[in-house]
Amino acid sequence: MTLRELEGQYSVLFEMAEEGNIDPQIMKDTLECVDYEFEQKAEAYATIIDTLAGEVDTIDKEVARLTEMKRTRKNNIDYMKKALQRAMITADKKKFKTNFHSFSIRKNAPSLDNVDSFKVPDEYMVVTKTVNRTELLKAVKANPEAFEGIASLKQTESLVIK
């Protein structure tokens, strides 16, 4: 029986109990049976959740490993390009071809260097407003009426499996 079907059985039982259409002993026996199935289903869910959580940890470790491998490869590429560029400049070979590749040294587009942001005129500055959610939460908790229409509190629930 699925978890959804068990939920449905609980609903039907509670409805029958509210209407008074069920013998209390039958209600007790049926509830015990449904409870047992529900607990077995919950245990199966917890086992699957544990397995999936373990897989997530393994995936996180693999992502970290691959990220580090990617970073190392990029660093190697950058080092090799700089070494080749330095060698080409030293050898005064700024442009040449081989059977498989063409090599050249070109000037890149101009970019800014050593910008003192305190001296830059306001017309070139961008101001970004962000909400300090931690401080706002404290303020709303202290005085919810003051923030009506601006922010509100919500309280959610979560499942804990130990």
Side-chain angles (χ1 to χ4, degrees):
M1 187 171 297
T2 68
L3 194 57
R4 189 174 299 259
E5 290 168 339
L6 288 169
E7 283 181 77
Q9 282 193 354
Y10 275 113
S11 295
V12 169
L13 282 173
F14 291 134
E15 228 175 77
M16 291 171 72
E18 285 177 352
E19 294 172 2
N21 295 346
I22 190 166
D23 177 32
Q25 186 59 41
I26 293 173
M27 175 73 161
K28 181 179 179 260
D29 293 343
T30 307
L31 258 177
E32 285 176 5
C33 180
V34 173
D35 279 347
Y36 176 77
E37 284 188 53
F38 184 83
E39 289 169 5
Q40 294 299 326
K41 185 63 73 174
E43 187 64 34
Y45 266 59
T47 301
I48 293 169
I49 289 168
D50 287 345
T51 301
L52 293 175
E55 289 176 3
V56 167
D57 289 343
T58 302
I59 290 168
D60 283 343
K61 288 176 184 171
E62 185 65 9
V63 166
R65 186 185 73 79
L66 290 172
T67 300
E68 178 61 20
M69 182 188 291
K70 178 181 174 181
R71 187 191 64 77
T72 302
R73 296 291 197 281
K74 282 185 168 187
N75 287 345
N76 288 340
I77 290 168
D78 290 344
Y79 173 80
M80 292 176 75
K81 282 182 170 183
K82 286 176 182 172
L84 181 57
Q85 181 178 351
R86 213 173 29 252
M88 286 174 63
I89 290 169
T90 301
D92 198 29
K93 285 190 136 232
K94 294 195 176 191
K95 190 172 188 176
F96 63 94
K97 286 185 178 187
T98 65
N99 289 338
F100 299 106
H101 297 93
S102 296
F103 301 84
S104 63
I105 296 176
R106 65 173 177 175
K107 292 199 180 292
N108 295 326
S111 62
L112 296 173
D113 193 25
N114 300 325
V115 175
D116 185 348
S117 59
F118 293 109
K119 294 180 181 176
V120 173
D122 288 344
E123 65 191 80
Y124 301 108
M125 297 298 289
V126 177
V127 178
T128 306
K129 290 173 69 172
T130 57
V131 176
N132 183 336
R133 296 182 73 84
T134 305
E135 291 302 316
L136 181 60
L137 176 61
K138 288 178 189 176
V140 173
K141 281 181 180 178
N143 188 2
E145 297 81 28
F147 294 92
E148 202 165 309
I150 299 169
S152 61
L153 297 174
K154 72 175 179 180
Q155 185 77 49
T156 61
E157 295 179 342
S158 62
L159 172 67
V160 176
I161 302 174
K162 296 182 179 179

